[in-house]
Amino acid sequence: MRMSGRTDARKCGENMIKIEAIVREEKLEDVKEALQKLKVQGMTVSQVMGCGTQLGYTENIRGSKFAVNMLPKIKFEIFVSSPEWEEKTIAAITEAARTGNVGDGKIITYEIREAVRIRTGERGVDALRPGADQ
């Protein structure tokens, strides 16, 4: 069932994209600063645990070896309203987060079918843009 008032972003020619970036903890401030310089209006940042190629490390605790294979990382979630902003955002994150070593992280993008600003009911890219009172 289709709700009345809903706009289909694809029919309107609008693109909504979610960018997820998993980066080293020590790169949190560098990535935030790069996104702020780009004037990215909103982001969600979470502390997460994970492993990839890096696979963790072994630690000696009181004479016993322990494998630490889930490493602390930072996850950024950002929504943008065009492929141009997607590319600019990816470039800024990549430049800010890269150390050249294994474990620098990943960036993944998704097409978004719908976005709704809960406060106003705005939908589509209008829900992603700053409101007049923000």
Side-chain angles (χ1 to χ4, degrees), residues 2 33 66-67 77 87 98 130:
R2 191 173 188 131
E33 194 174 294
F66 290 93
E77 295 175 90
E87 288 305 316
R98 179 181 289 139

Side-chain angles (χ1 to χ4, degrees), residues 15 17 19 34-41 78-93 109 129:
N15 295 300
I17 299 145
I19 301 168
L35 292 171
Q36 288 168 347
K37 280 183 187 175
L38 190 59
K39 300 202 184 320
V40 168
Q41 295 292 322
I78 302 148
F79 294 90
V80 297
S81 59
S82 72
E84 294 79 24
W85 273 103
E86 176 184 18
E87 288 305 316
K88 289 178 186 179
T89 305
I90 289 171
I93 294 168
T109 67
R129 295 184 180 124

